[in-house]
Amino acid sequence: MKQTNSDILLCVTKLREEEKRIYELLQQAGHQVQVNLDSMELPLEQGWADQYGIALIRCLSQKKALSRSTMLELSGIETINSVKAINICTNKIHQAIVFQKHNIPQPRFKIAFTADKILESFEDFGNIFVIKPPSSSWGRGIARIVGKECLDGWIAARESLDPTQQSFPVLVQEYVDKGDYDIRVVIVGRKPIVAFRRVSVDNWKTNTHLGAEVEPIAVDKEIESICSKLTEVLGEGIYGLDLFYDYQNKRYLVCEVNQNPEFSKSWKIHGVDVAAHIALYLQGKLASRTRQEVNA
């Protein structure tokens, strides 16, 4: 009978507060945790790969996260999150297409393959809409367009920086009047463990990285239902789900899903120990693998 190894590979760009706490909790539980930085080689050779039960992907670069998880998964190491989930979560266009296919509520959108196609968005969404690059984090590269003059300025700037339009296609999304907040829901496994508002008075973007304040809220049945649909599509894992509340239609809409949620600031306010939930989830995955191999 093959012995299941309890070693965990922790893939990170650097050990931030979040990763340090996950690392310490896993070590306290008796697991060997090997930290693997973006600058280091991956244990892909035969024998090395066999020593790890699971790999937790916490790379800051979305490109690195997808590349390293793909190589590890191909070598036979289970990754959290899965390559499929990371591939969807790191591309806003992929997300919009997948959500549409599975009837997950989201803002109306179109995919523009050229700057000229964005001009048609005024017919679809009115005088105000949002342009998002396929890949970005912390709100970078996202633009709110208000009127044709604003769009002309965006196109002119884009053409000077990207004359061959290599950054297309882009996601064009209706602007949702969400008030001064959005909602972040942290999912571990298949369970939403905490939800909180991110409130910003001075910025229409509501990232805590940009200074938004955290206000804990209850996870209601509508949020639970959306989380259940998402994990059915993406598979279980560790996600940061961003929701808008559409006041006009009185329902939640999915803005996007992040595959590497940060929590060093927020958990100290809402009080839910996200790192502990992640550590317990990984331990549960390892225990399940052990039971399956014992019974095989």
Side-chain angles (χ1 to χ4, degrees), residues 56-243:
L56 176 63
I57 310 298
R58 296 280 300 179
C59 305
L60 292 178
S61 163
Q62 296 178 344
K63 185 177 180 179
K64 285 283 188 182
L66 184 56
S67 171
R68 294 175 89 77
S69 63
T70 298
M71 288 187 283
L72 288 167
E73 190 172 283
L74 288 171
S75 75
I77 300 176
E78 181 180 6
T79 66
I80 301 296
N81 293 326
S82 70
V83 172
K84 172 189 172 183
I86 294 174
N87 186 41
I88 294 171
C89 290
T90 55
N91 189 298
K92 293 176 174 57
I93 292 175
H94 292 178
Q95 286 191 40
I97 294 169
V98 169
F99 296 166
Q100 177 178 254
K101 177 182 178 181
H102 294 278
N103 297 314
I104 293 171
Q106 65 177 323
R108 291 183 297 119
F109 74 93
K110 65 183 296 181
I111 300 166
F113 287 83
T114 65
D116 289 341
K117 284 295 181 181
I118 302 177
L119 290 167
E120 300 174 5
S121 299
F122 290 110
E123 299 175 10
D124 298 317
F125 306 128
N127 203 45
I128 180 171
F129 53 86
V130 176
I131 300 175
K132 297 181 177 181
S135 299
S136 71
S137 56
W138 299 325
R140 291 177 298 200
I142 298 175
R144 180 174 59 175
I145 303 299
V146 183
K148 187 164 184 308
E149 184 176 351
C150 182
L151 179 59
D152 288 342
W154 184 91
I155 291 175
R158 182 54 61 96
E159 287 177 344
S160 66
L161 295 171
D162 181 26
T164 59
Q165 299 193 355
Q166 294 298 307
S167 58
F168 282 85
V170 296
L171 183 69
V172 184
Q173 205 174 58
E174 72 170 321
Y175 178 75
V176 177
D177 184 7
K178 60 183 177 59
D180 62 356
Y181 72 94
D182 71 357
I183 294 170
R184 164 58 62 93
V185 185
V186 180
I187 301 170
V188 178
R190 295 185 180 274
K191 179 183 178 183
I193 62 169
V194 66
F196 52 91
R197 291 182 177 182
R198 300 186 296 188
V199 182
S200 178
V201 176
D202 300 322
N203 195 326
W204 69 278
K205 299 177 184 178
T206 45
N207 307 75
T208 52
H209 178 74
L210 299 175
E213 299 294 328
V214 171
E215 295 180 356
I217 64 170
V219 177
D220 61 24
K221 290 184 178 179
E222 187 177 355
I223 292 176
E224 285 184 346
S225 176
I226 292 173
C227 291
S228 177
K229 287 181 181 178
L230 281 172
T231 53
E232 284 177 13
V233 173
L234 299 174
E236 64 179 55
I238 300 164
Y239 304 107
L241 164 63
D242 294 341
L243 298 172

Side-chain angles (χ1 to χ4, degrees), residues 2-9 34 41-55 68 70-79 286 289 293:
K2 179 182 176 181
Q3 182 178 359
T4 300
N5 204 298
S6 62
D7 285 8
I8 296 169
L9 190 66
Q34 178 66 48
E41 295 182 358
L42 285 171
L44 301 174
E45 289 81 0
Q46 188 68 33
W48 282 11
D50 292 340
Q51 100 178 53
Y52 297 102
I54 202 164
R68 294 175 89 77
T70 298
M71 288 187 283
L72 288 167
E73 190 172 283
L74 288 171
S75 75
I77 300 176
E78 181 180 6
T79 66
L286 289 172
R289 288 164 61 93
E293 295 199 3

Side-chain angles (χ1 to χ4, degrees), residues 269-280:
I269 299 172
H270 58 61
V272 176
D273 193 340
V274 178
H277 279 273
I278 292 173
L280 286 171

